[in-house]
Amino acid sequence: VQQATRALDEIDGVTQRNASLVQEAAQLSRELDQQAARLERAVGHFELDARESAFRRAVEKPAEAVPALPARAPARAARRLAAGRPPR
């Protein structure tokens, strides 16, 4: 029983670290999106070819919100989030 408890505690710790990394990556993604938008505005006065519209659409697309996980998220919720599905 003690081994199972320790194993579950370790799994929970790894899950928490993974969830934290996912949230950090999401924040960095939002920051990168903001930087790209600022860069696009900074160079927006230059004439660009047809690729401009594709870039503009990519920059103007709102970043998807990443749901916050509870303090003790189960491993299943972290796996669902990593797979791009919201946790239950």
Side-chain angles (χ1 to χ4, degrees):
V1 173
Q2 288 178 339
Q3 279 184 315
T5 300
R6 281 194 300 268
L8 289 174
D9 287 343
E10 186 174 336
I11 290 170
D12 187 52
V14 169
T15 300
Q16 291 303 312
R17 287 188 296 276
N18 286 345
S20 177
L21 290 172
V22 167
Q23 290 178 342
E24 182 180 344
Q27 177 62 32
L28 291 172
S29 175
R30 286 188 292 271
E31 291 174 12
L32 184 58
D33 187 54
Q34 292 169 354
Q35 289 177 6
R38 285 193 301 271
L39 178 61
E40 194 274 332
R41 284 191 301 272
V43 300
H45 64 278
F46 295 104
E47 285 192 37
L48 302 174
D49 59 20
R51 291 176 290 182
E52 174 190 15
S53 60
F55 176 75
R56 188 177 304 277
R57 283 192 306 272
V59 168
E60 292 173 354
K61 178 182 155 190
E64 295 181 25
V66 175
L69 296 176
R72 292 187 53 88
R76 181 178 296 163
R79 284 193 304 273
R80 288 184 60 79
L81 185 61
R85 300 185 312 260
R88 293 183 185 166

